[in-house]
Each structure stands twice: as structure tokens, then as C-alpha cells.
Amino acid sequence: MAETKKKTVFSGVQPTGDLHIGNLIGAISLWVREQDKHDNIFCVVDLHALTIPEAIRADRLRSTSLDVAALYVACGIDPDKSIIFLQSQVRQHAELAWILDCVTPTGWMNRMTQFKSKAETQESLSTGYYAYPILQAADILLYHTDLVPVGEDQRQHVEITQDIAQRFEGLFGYHFTRPEIMVQQVGARVMGLDDPAAKMSKSTSNPRHAIGLLDEPSVILKKLKSAKTDSRTAVDASDLGAGVKNLITIYQAFAGGSWDEAVKRFDGQGYGALKTGVADAVIAGLEPIQRRFRELREDEAALTRMLERSGEAAAERAEATMKNVRAAVGIWR
Ligand code: ATP
Ligand code: MG
């Protein structure tokens, strides 16, 4: 029987700050779980990080990007099975983004909820931030991606990628593979510890907001102890508040087992016991990742070699697409 072609997976994380357990639960652990089934491309999207110039430290962006690449490997992405590279290594991302910028109506961008909510709280945002879903579309379409494993917050951006691909095809006749979103059943949207109504994010300033993948055990315990719950004192399985639900989601992601088992494990227990139980699971789960991260980061030359090798493989594939795209829109070479 003819072997069926593996599906192409593309995803990434922005090197905008310390990666947190939301990034691991919602995205990276999904990449790891599905890794053997697919043809994988995992990118450290450093060009995306530039969209919020106030949030990045230019002198540190390079090293933060290397940290993220090392974390991918430490979390279980195998560089022999998956391509891991920095977005800026492959210039075709920026080139395709420009071409797609030119075919995307501004009305589509005005509907992006992430932009709208950020614009409400921030006085001035860059044009790059406004157009960032189009750069993301370029990232995805460049590799004719079938599946995009991401957190729930990215659903609208994957949908707009499909629309952009369709519009491009209508205008220029070139067919990009239409990508589908892939999300976790539980943990696709981990909430902030300080505010269970807000998504856990790297770029939130409250130090009690997120658990970093590299946080020390004592810090993890302290953050969880201060996590916002509700006015009750014990877990009631029949009526879980948003904060408690979020803690149980985190527990399940690290301890494994089903959602029902996780709820049963804490039903009737006080919030103090819940928080300690979650902390134990998170600390145990992050320990091997942190150990492996330190080893990888100690040998920067090896990490750089891996990125160079992978970056070349990505660039070759990206250039194959771009040759056709340039021909389709009529620009030289
Ligand atoms: P930033 O605040 O810089 O946007 P972020 O935490 O949202 O940081 P991203 O780099 O934008 O992180 O996203 C990386 C991946 O992690 C994406 O797939 C995103 O959907 C996923 N992700 C981010 N936050 C969460 C979360 N709280 N729960 C589940 N998945 C998440
Ligand atoms: Mg984000």
C-alpha cells in the first residue's frame, strides 16, 4: 500500500518573555504529543516579537530566542524529527508577509479581537502589531501547513489565514494549502493566576500572573498559594469557580489522567490543599525540563549548529513556495 504523506505541522512561540505553563499546556505539549505522526516545523517567531518594541530588550532578544529554542527541545521536541529554527533565519517569512499585506483588506484586520482588546488598553500600537496576523498567515502558508497546533486564543488568526489564502488564490490563481487549527481538549486556554478571567500571557506585568517554565519550586509554590479562587473555602465538584477550575486544569495537564479523576482527587478538599497538590504536580513536571534546558544552554555552539541546520532546511522549503508566489504576482525572480 502506498504510504500516505505526513501532514505538515507549523507552530511557534514569540520570544517576548519567559515562557509559562500556558504555552506548554496549550501548545508545546500538543506538539510533542503529535510529533511522531507529522512533518513538523516549530519556529521561534522573533519577527513577531518586534511588533511590541517596548516589550523587548533588543540586546536580549537574541538570547531570549535561543532560550525558547532550547526550551522546545527541553520540553520534548526532537530536532532529528522536527525542524526548529528562528523566523529571522528565513527571510521569506517577511517577504511573503508583505505580499499578503497587499492583498488583505484592512477591514479584516479591524475585526481581530486580540488587536481590538490591546488597542483599548494601550495608547499607541505599532503598524507591525496591527498586521501581525498577516505575518502569522505568511508563516503558516509558506510551508503549505495542514495543521496549526496552538492555544484557543489563536483560532481567529488561523481562520483569517484561510481567508487570506482564498483571496490570494482568487486574485493570482496560486493555491496555498488551507490550514486547520488543532487545540487541546483541556488546557487550550489557561487563565492567569491573579485573574481567572484573563488568559495567562508572557507579557503581563503582575509577577503573580503566570508560572514560568524556569521558575524555581519555591516560587511556583508561592505563586500558586496566592492564586485567586473565590469566596468559598473548599472544592465543590458540582460547582467549580473559574479560579478553581483553572487550577484543576493545570493539575490535570501535569499529573495526567482524566478531567473527572482530577476533579474527584480534590473534591471536598480545602483550597490550601488544592494549591499544594497543584504545586507538587507542576514542580515535578517542570524539574526534568529545567534540568535539560540548563544542559542545552550550556553548549550554545551545539544549539546554534542545530538551528543553522534546521534553518537551512526551512529556507529551502520556503524558497520553493516563494518561487511560485513571485511568479504568480509577477515580480522578478
Ligand atoms: P504574549 O503575551 O507575548 O502574546 P503569549 O503567552 O500569548 O505571550 P505567544 O507566544 O503569543 O504567548 O503564544 C505561543 C503559543 O502559546 C500559542 O500557540 C498560544 O495560543 C499559546 N498560548 C499562549 N497563552 C496560552 C494560554 N494561556 N493557554 C493556552 N495556550 C496559550
Ligand atoms: Mg500571545
Side-chain angles (χ1 to χ4, degrees):
M1 208 169 75
E3 209 178 299
T4 48
K5 195 177 163 290
K6 282 186 170 179
K7 290 194 167 169
T8 300
V9 162
F10 180 95
S11 199
V13 175
Q14 313 187 68
T16 32
D18 299 330
L19 267 63
H20 53 77
I21 56 170
N23 301 130
L24 176 64
I25 297 170
I28 302 171
S29 65
L30 186 55
W31 309 351
V32 173
R33 196 183 75 204
E34 298 280 313
Q35 177 168 228
D36 290 334
K37 284 191 228 160
H38 306 300
D39 164 30
N40 314 287
I41 306 174
F42 298 120
C43 187
V44 178
V45 289
D46 53 354
L47 299 180
H48 281 282
L50 295 177
T51 60
I52 310 181
E54 303 80 11
I56 58 153
R57 290 253 318 269
D59 58 334
R60 278 187 38 200
L61 182 58
R62 227 188 155 92
S63 100
T64 313
S65 299
L66 293 180
D67 287 347
V68 177
L71 270 171
Y72 286 180
V73 180
C75 289
I77 301 298
D78 178 346
D80 291 327
K81 291 180 184 166
S82 300
I83 291 179
I84 301 173
F85 72 109
L86 311 190
Q87 190 182 23
S88 57
Q89 285 179 268
V90 178
R91 308 288 187 214
Q92 287 84 347
H93 286 255
E95 184 184 5
L96 181 58
W98 174 252
I99 293 172
L100 298 181
D101 278 347
C102 296
V103 306
T104 308
T106 50
W108 293 8
M109 288 299 101
N110 294 339
R111 289 205 307 269
M112 296 294 102
T113 54
Q114 199 169 80
F115 178 79
K116 282 199 290 191
S117 58
K118 193 95 170 181
E120 274 168 18
T121 57
Q122 215 151 312
E123 231 171 65
S124 151
L125 287 167
S126 70
T127 309
Y129 187 80
Y130 178 68
Y132 121 77
I134 308 176
L135 176 58
Q136 191 170 326
D139 302 339
I140 295 167
L141 298 176
L142 201 46
Y143 300 98
H144 285 280
T145 301
D146 298 291
L147 297 168
V148 187
V150 282
E152 186 59 46
D153 63 302
Q154 292 301 323
R155 183 175 294 278
Q156 198 183 30
H157 295 157
V158 178
E159 284 167 4
I160 199 103
T161 301
Q162 296 164 349
D163 294 344
I164 292 171
Q166 191 174 343
R167 182 160 162 82
F168 190 86
E169 187 165 352
L171 288 168
F172 298 111
Y174 178 76
H175 179 77
F176 285 110
T177 302
R178 304 291 196 268
E180 296 290 335
I181 191 172
M182 193 199 305
V183 292
Q184 293 281 28
Q185 276 189 327
V186 179
R189 190 176 180 86
V190 177
M191 310 311 277
L193 298 181
D194 57 334
D195 177 6
K199 180 188 87 70
M200 188 178 280
S201 287
K202 274 185 253 108
S203 46
T204 301
S205 55
N206 184 341
R208 299 287 169 98
H209 169 76
I211 297 176
L213 296 185
L214 300 174
D215 279 353
E216 289 187 10
S218 60
V219 175
I220 296 173
L221 182 63
K222 206 160 75 189
K223 285 182 178 175
L224 279 164
K225 287 265 181 195
S226 73
K228 196 164 171 199
T229 48
D230 48 50
S231 57
R232 281 165 288 187
T233 52
V235 178
D236 175 359
S238 63
D239 184 18
L240 299 172
V244 171
K245 207 167 173 182
N246 192 41
L247 291 177
I248 298 178
T249 300
I250 294 170
Y251 173 84
Q252 194 218 342
F254 282 92
S258 72
W259 170 254
D260 288 346
E261 281 163 358
V263 175
K264 212 162 144 208
R265 150 96 171 71
F266 292 110
D267 194 19
Q269 291 196 31
Y271 288 165
L274 167 68
K275 289 173 174 181
T276 319
V278 178
D280 288 345
V282 173
I283 291 165
L286 291 184
E287 194 274 330
I289 293 175
Q290 297 182 351
R291 194 161 15 95
R292 184 82 185 102
F293 172 80
R294 284 193 294 271
E295 286 165 12
L296 288 158
R297 243 9 217 109
E298 266 166 29
D299 190 352
E300 194 162 305
L303 185 62
T304 311
R305 272 199 304 279
M306 181 274 284
L307 289 171
E308 272 166 6
R309 197 178 58 231
S310 283
E312 276 170 27
E316 212 171 286
R317 293 172 64 158
E319 181 55 19
T321 303
M322 281 314 295
K323 277 206 165 77
N324 292 322
V325 170
R326 288 183 207 116
V329 300
I331 53 178
W332 201 22
R333 287 208 270 258

